[in-house]
Amino acid sequence: MRTTVGIIGAGPAGLLLARLLHNAGIDSVVLESRDRAYVERRQRAGILEQGTADVLRAAGAGERMDREGLRHDGIELRFAGRRHRVDLPALTGGKSVLVYAQTEVCKDLVALRLKDGGPLLFEAEALAVEGAEGDRPSVRFRHEGRESVLECDHVVGCDGFWGVARRAVPAALSQVFERTYPFAWLGVLADVAPSHDELVYARHERGFALLSMRSPAVSRLYLQVPADTDPAAWPDERIWDELDRRLEIPGGRRLERGPITQKSVTPMRSYVHEPMRHGRLFLAGDAAHIVPPTGAKGLNLAVGDVVTLARALVHLRDTGSDELLDAYSATCLRRVWQAERFSYDMTTMLHRSPEADGFEERLHLARLDRIATCRSAGADLAEAYTGFPVG
């Protein structure tokens, strides 16, 4: 099998890259180790930056998103018995975010890919990337019980942290930067209308809590818990009681409760692999970087990566110049590190670390107070939350 661009992974990064390349007249093949049902049901990110939503619209993948997605013009911060709304458009010159789950983005992009007739192989496990240093890289993969080889001009690893793509970069050429946090998120989906019309981020003496949503009828909620937490140790009533405690403010109302349909624990970590390119192999999304979910940056960073890469591949096709491809890693990493900085700041500011002392706790409360009382501090948060420029 031969193609111009071999894409490993049918998450939002791989699927969107395939769509952008198709629209530009560049052929690609997408290999995905899981089945279609898994890709379309896995619960992950739910906040689309302004720029991400614009990219999906321009790619022809925005019709259902615009019909069913929920535009949000603000977020609420709760701390020390106070509440403060961050008005995103007022602080950013009109930018907002959209609540639209990653699962729905994947469904839309899968449907477009299959409609276009572009090769998308589910249950095709990539085994190795070979020849990345040469002119003819390839991906060895297993599909329907047989090993095959996909020959490419370029290979793009969108296969996440545990995928094979990053392992093809020699260790001697790699630098890894990471931070593991001493807590995790217990996340739940509940069949109940959200108790607030915007996301609520709460710092509480018992730990962080987040009130989010997936639709007008489905709530997505999170609690800070110890890193080794077993979701089974948290019955539904205990979860709702704890959410009520942490989200409570004077004069506020208790959460509406409903059936919890899913529970999971998400570890918190920051990770960056440099460089994001080795020869004709390019890394995108979680294959190259991970952020704690507090800043809602993971999916949006992946979109920035593949937009940058698609632009570079089109430039190569149209001009014969490798200039933009050569700059791919440095271009993406500028945005990645800004997102890492913002996500780290949000995480440390809103969570209670078991390692922190009273001095550090007071500093975090002072940062929240600054955001609530100083327009420039609020604007800095709003600009980062709605998205850093791509490229």
Side-chain angles (χ1 to χ4, degrees):
M1 187 183 296
R2 168 101 190 136
T3 191
T4 301
V5 181
I7 302 171
I8 308 173
L15 290 167
L16 178 58
L17 177 60
R19 177 66 178 175
L20 295 173
L21 294 177
H22 169 81
N23 289 347
I26 298 175
D27 62 292
S28 65
V29 172
V30 182
L31 305 176
E32 168 55 47
S33 63
R34 304 282 192 162
D35 62 22
R36 180 178 179 180
Y38 180 90
V39 170
E40 294 185 340
R41 72 171 181 263
R42 186 181 183 190
Q43 292 293 333
R44 294 291 297 275
I47 303 294
L48 306 185
E49 295 174 355
Q50 177 85 55
T52 294
D54 291 343
V55 165
L56 290 169
R57 292 185 188 104
E63 181 181 353
R64 192 166 70 95
M65 175 190 73
D66 284 330
R67 186 172 66 250
E68 299 179 9
L70 306 174
R71 173 178 164 144
H72 280 204
D73 288 336
I75 60 173
E76 183 170 293
L77 303 176
R78 295 185 183 180
F79 61 100
R82 301 165 56 186
R83 64 195 305 174
H84 172 72
R85 182 175 184 268
V86 179
D87 187 328
L88 300 175
L91 293 167
T92 63
K95 292 195 292 184
S96 61
V97 297
L98 199 66
V99 175
Y100 191 64
Q102 175 175 311
T103 49
E104 306 309 312
V105 173
C106 287
K107 288 176 186 176
D108 296 341
L109 291 170
V110 166
L112 286 171
R113 181 69 174 176
L114 297 178
K115 179 182 177 182
D116 294 338
L120 169 53
L121 303 183
F122 291 105
E123 299 181 86
E125 180 188 6
L127 303 174
V129 176
E130 299 171 340
E133 301 89 344
D135 295 334
R136 286 292 186 90
S138 62
V139 182
R140 187 161 46 84
F141 68 99
R142 183 184 296 110
H143 184 237
E144 296 179 341
R146 299 189 305 273
E147 282 198 20
S148 301
V149 174
L150 175 63
E151 297 180 343
C152 323
D153 292 336
H154 302 91
V155 177
V156 185
C158 303
D159 51 345
F161 181 79
W162 301 106
V164 302
R166 192 179 63 254
R167 297 202 294 270
V169 181
L173 303 178
S174 299
Q175 282 188 291
V176 169
F177 305 88
E178 59 185 326
R179 172 68 53 88
T180 301
Y181 301 87
F183 42 76
W185 277 10
L186 172 63
V188 302
L189 278 175
D191 286 340
V192 61
S195 297
H196 197 279
D197 56 4
E198 294 177 338
L199 272 69
V200 177
Y201 292 80
R203 179 187 174 88
H204 190 273
E205 62 183 13
R206 298 175 65 90
F208 170 78
L210 171 61
L211 187 161
S212 182
M213 66 277 301
R214 285 295 179 263
S215 75
V218 178
S219 294
R220 183 71 161 151
L221 305 121
Y222 299 94
L223 288 168
Q224 177 186 344
V225 293
D228 59 354
T229 293
D230 179 359
W234 284 78
D236 294 4
E237 185 175 1
R238 181 186 179 192
I239 291 172
W240 287 117
D241 288 347
E242 192 63 25
L243 285 164
D244 271 329
R245 291 188 190 100
R246 298 189 192 183
L247 290 163
E248 182 181 13
I249 52 171
R253 61 189 178 96
R254 294 171 69 86
L255 297 177
E256 296 294 330
R257 301 190 177 196
I260 292 178
T261 59
Q262 185 182 110
K263 301 176 190 176
S264 62
V265 171
T266 301
M268 306 286 280
R269 64 192 305 238
S270 301
Y271 176 93
V272 181
H273 179 280
E274 295 186 9
M276 291 174 59
R277 176 194 182 183
H278 173 60
R280 293 191 175 223
L281 167 65
F282 299 83
L283 304 179
D286 286 359
H289 42 74
I290 294 171
V291 289
T294 325
K297 290 291 166 230
L299 167 60
N300 297 290
L301 274 182
V303 168
D305 293 345
V306 298
V307 168
T308 301
L309 183 54
R311 183 186 302 146
L313 290 167
V314 171
H315 183 74
L316 173 64
R317 192 267 316 270
D318 292 345
T319 69
S321 170
D322 289 327
E323 177 185 7
L324 296 186
L325 282 177
D326 290 342
Y328 168 75
S329 183
T331 299
C332 289
L333 284 169
R334 282 195 296 272
R335 189 170 189 265
V336 166
W337 277 110
Q338 286 300 322
E340 292 282 356
R341 186 269 308 168
F342 173 68
S343 299
Y344 174 83
D345 285 350
M346 287 284 282
T347 300
T348 55
M349 179 175 67
L350 289 166
H351 292 72
R352 285 183 62 88
S353 173
E355 302 164 355
D357 58 18
F359 180 82
E360 190 171 340
E361 294 297 321
R362 288 294 191 273
L363 287 181
H364 297 321
L365 290 172
R367 291 167 64 196
L368 284 161
D369 181 69
R370 180 71 173 169
I371 291 166
T373 58
C374 174
R375 181 179 176 85
S376 61
D380 184 63
L381 185 151
E383 287 283 358
Y385 195 85
T386 54
F388 301 105
V390 176

